[in-house]
Amino acid sequence: PPANAENLSEGETSNLLNRIPKIKTEDDDKVDFRKREGSLPAPKTGKKIPVKFPADESREVPNSNNDQALEVVRFSPEGEIPLAPDLSVTFSHPMVAVTSQEGAAQTVPVQLTPNAEGKWRWLGTKTLMFDTTKRFRMATKYTARIPAGTKAATGQVLNKEVVWTFTTPPPKLENNYPSNGSTTRRDELMFVSFDQEINPKAVLETTSVTSGGKRIPIRLASDEELKSGSLPYYIKQAQPNRWMAFRAVNSNGGIENALPADSSIQVTFNKGTPSAEGPLTTNAAQSFSFSTFGAMKFVDGYCNYRSNKNCSPFDTWYLQFTNAIDTSNFDKSMIKVSPAVEGLTIYPSGQYIYISGVKKGNTTYTVTIDDSIKDIYTQKLQEPGKATIKVGSAPVSLYAQGGNMVVLDPTTKKPSFSVYSTNQPSARVKVYKVQPQDWSQFQQFVRYKDYEDGTKVSMPGTLISNQLTNIENKPDEMVETRIDLSKFMSGGFGNVILDITPTKKQDKYDRTRILTWVQSTHIGLDAFVDNQELVGFATDLATGKPLAGIQLSIFPNGKEVTSNQTKKEDESYASQVWDWLTSWGSSQADDIQSFDENGSAIETESIEKAQ
């Protein structure tokens, strides 16, 4: 318990402090900043005995009583390897005494040829490792030798010399520009990178650029040329000293049109390409190829699967050209489509022009291409182009937007749900009346709707309508059919499940089915949850304004709270914040809905009153 004490007066406190000797100062005491000394380490139990390691006196290696000869148990690397970061060898007997690493490293029974940058170290007393500064040089054959007569620390002798070799590979082409199969200008710079350091001048000697069997003169790119085009990007991506940039030249040394037009160009690094790291050269040629541009020509016009017959009214059309199109000088007026296409959209990309829109079924369209279209090489289309595309019947289809949960537009006076179809005469529409408590069961039903194993849950709610809805007859055109839901709602609000199936199937495997929960409300809900609390937002869907007085709960066992309206300095609004009980689990936050105590959606009068 606290002691009964009284505060000292100022005078009493001064008398106590005056009894303390004054602090003595020295000339070197005054500094701009003094960091206090660190705390002493916590004391350890027991008595410390200072011991020098290694000891001054020499100790004999314990006798292992093993009379077997010294052997090399294993070594690595060996043979042809892609990369050699280190070397290791393990002996059958201890080779060094237990001492400092510096002392043990003086014993190296392995002779390595050629020399490599790095240092030797022992892992224990039997395994010797050579750590390279970065890695063993590429394009090099190394020989490791352990002479006969090598002695172990325990006295055993290696009776027979042990020799092994390992070889790192010569240069391998990793990346190149232009890429294989691409089309380029006739004065394009070329770039290559390898898996090891190279001497560009030496590699250029073994490089050949050919077209049609004819060799084209080349030279290394100048310092100024290395700053142009795409080269800075490729140089940045490559490892230092592992790349080379070069280009073709004319017989007079110029670069204009040095590569032949409309031709395949083959770049080959011939057998014998050297490395800058080691003496080994490549034993096989490496190459890549690309093409130079030719005249700008129209190739073909088609829809899916490169066909211009029996296209769907909803297919995108493709106009293909030999060269990439200059989009900066393109205008959609350069493309004419006859007859007219509803919602026509025309745009170029690469070597293609894409045409989309709703076409009429069983109609033949003619597309004409103006010769004013230019490619990226400033060439005009060689001659006007024309494509004929035949559109057949549209496939039977039925779909709706929104997925398995739809909230109707709050600004419409009459709640309705739209389905879209093509060549569909009618659809079977089933309407189920549901409450928020049915949401979880509906999710389970949707998840297993296509599996008849006898264990799946039934459709929730009450079936209140099962009718055949006729669809307007417009062959090969998309038709919107609005299903009136006002008679299924209470005052225009509520929840129903729509189960819609087409009467006409594509084939016997067609499982087309629209299954969605439709909610009509003027209240928008959102929630954010972590492991401590859940924040719920209630707003007017039509205006986005916050709503106060809205009763919110988490199904099936959440407590009920009422939203309030808070105005912040930035004039934004937030709703009620309440504690989230961790025992509920955050997954139940998905089931928030807004209803009154009877389970009915809150009506307009309640919203207006809340506002």
Side-chain angles (χ1 to χ4, degrees):
N4 295 324
E6 295 181 0
N7 292 332
L8 295 177
S9 65
E10 186 175 347
E12 292 172 327
T13 303
S14 298
N15 291 335
L16 288 174
L17 295 177
N18 289 335
R19 292 164 56 185
I20 301 174
K22 292 185 178 180
I23 298 175
K24 296 181 180 180
T25 61
E26 302 292 341
D27 293 339
D28 59 350
D29 282 349
K30 297 180 181 181
V31 294
D32 293 335
F33 176 79
R34 183 179 297 280
K35 181 180 178 181
R36 78 172 184 86
E37 296 181 3
S39 302
L40 294 175
K44 296 182 179 180
T45 59
K47 183 179 180 181
K48 292 183 179 180
I49 302 176
V51 176
K52 183 179 180 181
F53 183 85
D56 293 331
E57 66 274 14
S58 175
R59 296 186 179 185
E60 296 294 331
V61 177
N63 185 8
S64 62
N65 295 322
N66 193 340
D67 296 330
Q68 294 181 356
L70 178 65
E71 295 179 352
V72 175
V73 178
R74 56 183 175 272
F75 50 78
S76 69
E78 183 183 16
E80 294 183 358
I81 54 174
L83 199 66
D86 51 44
L87 177 149
S88 66
V89 56
T90 301
F91 297 87
S92 59
H93 295 286
M95 301 296 293
V96 293
V98 178
T99 180
S100 67
Q101 186 60 248
E102 291 78 8
Q106 302 301 317
T107 302
V108 181
V110 181
Q111 300 171 2
L112 184 63
T113 307
N115 293 328
E117 295 181 6
K119 62 180 182 179
W120 295 95
R121 64 186 176 95
W122 285 92
L123 302 178
T125 59
K126 297 181 179 181
T127 299
L128 178 64
M129 176 170 283
F130 183 78
D131 292 325
T132 59
T133 303
K134 53 178 183 179
R135 57 169 171 72
F136 284 98
R137 294 190 299 273
M138 303 290 278
T140 304
K141 181 178 181 180
Y142 287 90
T143 301
R145 176 177 175 270
I146 304 174
T150 299
K151 286 187 177 182
T154 51
Q156 289 83 357
V157 177
L158 184 68
N159 295 328
K160 185 178 180 181
E161 180 184 57
V162 177
V163 179
W164 77 94
T165 63
F166 60 94
T167 305
T168 52
K172 178 183 177 182
L173 179 65
E174 287 193 326
N175 295 304
N176 58 269
Y177 172 82
S179 57
N180 284 297
S182 62
T183 303
T184 69
R185 299 178 180 275
R186 297 176 61 187
D187 60 352
E188 191 67 80
L189 282 159
M190 290 165 275
F191 175 90
V192 290
S193 63
F194 294 87
D195 64 347
Q196 57 193 272
E197 294 184 9
I198 60 165
N199 182 334
K201 291 183 179 180
V203 172
L204 192 70
E205 294 296 322
T206 64
T207 304
S208 63
V209 178
T210 59
S211 177
K214 183 179 179 181
R215 189 159 182 168
I216 302 171
I218 56 175
R219 66 164 173 82
L220 292 176
S222 65
D223 292 341
E224 191 65 28
E225 290 170 338
L226 294 178
K227 302 175 185 178
S228 62
S230 302
L231 282 187
Y233 169 80
Y234 290 103
I235 292 173
K236 185 177 180 180
Q237 301 302 313
Q239 294 289 334
N241 303 321
R242 295 187 182 185
W243 55 270
M244 178 179 75
F246 56 102
R247 74 185 320 157
V249 293
N250 297 316
S251 57
N252 59 3
I255 63 173
E256 185 178 1
N257 296 332
L259 297 171
D262 198 13
S263 301
S264 176
I265 309 300
Q266 186 85 9
V267 181
T268 303
F269 301 94
N270 297 301
K271 177 182 177 181
T273 298
S275 168
E277 297 189 26
L280 300 182
T281 59
T282 59
N283 52 21
Q286 304 175 74
S287 63
F288 67 94
S289 62
F290 59 94
S291 300
T292 54
F293 71 89
M296 177 62 165
K297 299 178 182 179
F298 171 64
V299 178
D300 197 8
Y302 50 88
C303 56
N304 291 332
Y305 308 109
R306 302 187 69 86
S307 172
N308 58 3
K309 298 180 180 179
N310 296 322
C311 298
S312 166
F314 311 110
D315 284 345
T316 297
W317 297 344
Y318 307 90
L319 304 180
Q320 183 181 0
F321 299 82
T322 54
N323 298 333
I325 299 166
D326 181 6
T327 57
S328 63
N329 292 314
F330 178 81
D331 190 277
K332 64 181 182 180
S333 63
M334 298 174 180
I335 306 297
K336 305 292 184 184
V337 180
S338 179
V341 173
E342 182 181 350
L344 180 65
T345 301
I346 301 173
Y347 63 94
S349 179
Q351 294 176 241
Y352 295 88
I353 292 177
Y354 299 87
I355 301 176
S356 60
V358 181
K359 298 89 176 177
K360 293 182 179 180
N362 298 311
T363 303
T364 299
Y365 288 86
T366 301
V367 181
T368 56
I369 303 107
D370 195 276
D371 61 1
S372 60
I373 293 178
K374 292 183 178 181
D375 62 18
I376 58 175
Y377 312 112
T378 69
Q379 297 182 125
K380 291 177 63 177
L381 192 62
Q382 195 173 54
E383 61 182 15
K386 179 182 288 187
T388 301
I389 299 178
K390 295 180 180 180
V391 177
S393 296
V396 176
S397 65
L398 178 73
Y399 70 95
Q401 296 177 327
N404 296 125
M405 172 66 182
V406 173
V407 178
L408 299 180
D409 185 352
T411 61
T412 58
K413 295 181 180 180
K414 193 174 183 180
S416 62
F417 181 80
S418 293
V419 294
Y420 304 89
S421 61
T422 306
N423 292 335
Q424 195 64 250
S426 58
R428 173 66 61 180
V429 180
K430 295 180 181 180
V431 183
Y432 294 83
K433 184 69 175 179
V434 288
Q435 300 297 334
Q437 296 88 332
D438 300 320
W439 173 250
S440 179
Q441 184 178 342
F442 172 71
Q443 287 181 302
Q444 288 183 308
F445 180 83
V446 170
R447 187 177 296 118
Y448 301 104
K449 69 180 187 299
D450 294 327
Y451 299 92
E452 297 290 349
D453 57 359
T455 61
K456 72 175 185 179
V457 298
S458 59
M459 174 74 80
T462 304
L463 180 64
I464 57 177
S465 178
N466 184 356
Q467 295 182 346
L468 195 64
T469 299
N470 293 325
I471 297 175
E472 186 178 1
N473 183 22
K474 290 185 177 181
D476 301 315
E477 292 187 27
M478 183 185 296
V479 177
E480 178 186 4
T481 303
R482 295 189 178 185
I483 302 173
D484 184 9
L485 301 179
S486 58
K487 57 185 176 182
F488 307 122
M489 302 295 181
S490 174
F493 299 95
N495 292 262
V496 295
I497 293 175
L498 294 181
D499 187 358
I500 306 171
T501 54
T503 56
K504 187 176 181 180
K505 301 284 188 177
Q506 293 183 9
D507 51 48
K508 64 180 181 179
Y509 303 106
D510 187 358
R511 290 187 174 183
T512 299
R513 185 179 184 184
I514 299 171
L515 193 61
T516 184
W517 180 298
V518 180
Q519 182 183 70
S520 180
T521 178
H522 282 182
I523 300 175
L525 291 177
D526 208 344
F528 298 89
V529 64
D530 58 23
N531 62 349
Q532 293 184 341
E533 66 178 14
L534 182 147
V535 182
F537 298 87
T539 58
D540 183 353
L541 277 180
T543 64
K545 292 182 179 180
L547 298 177
I550 304 300
Q551 294 178 336
L552 307 175
S553 63
I554 303 173
F555 287 98
N557 56 353
K559 65 179 181 179
E560 190 173 278
V561 296
T562 303
S563 65
N564 62 12
Q565 197 176 61
T566 305
K567 186 173 182 180
K568 296 185 177 180
E569 293 180 358
D570 60 359
E571 297 187 350
S572 62
Y573 296 88
S575 65
Q576 176 72 25
V577 178
W578 68 90
D579 291 337
W580 170 252
L581 300 182
T582 56
S583 61
W584 290 353
S586 61
S587 63
Q588 299 189 43
D590 295 333
D591 298 332
I592 297 178
Q593 301 292 340
S594 297
F595 295 87
D596 60 21
E597 63 275 8
N598 297 321
S600 301
I602 297 177
E603 299 182 0
T604 308
E605 292 79 13
S606 300
I607 298 175
E608 293 174 349
K609 183 178 180 181
Q611 289 177 329

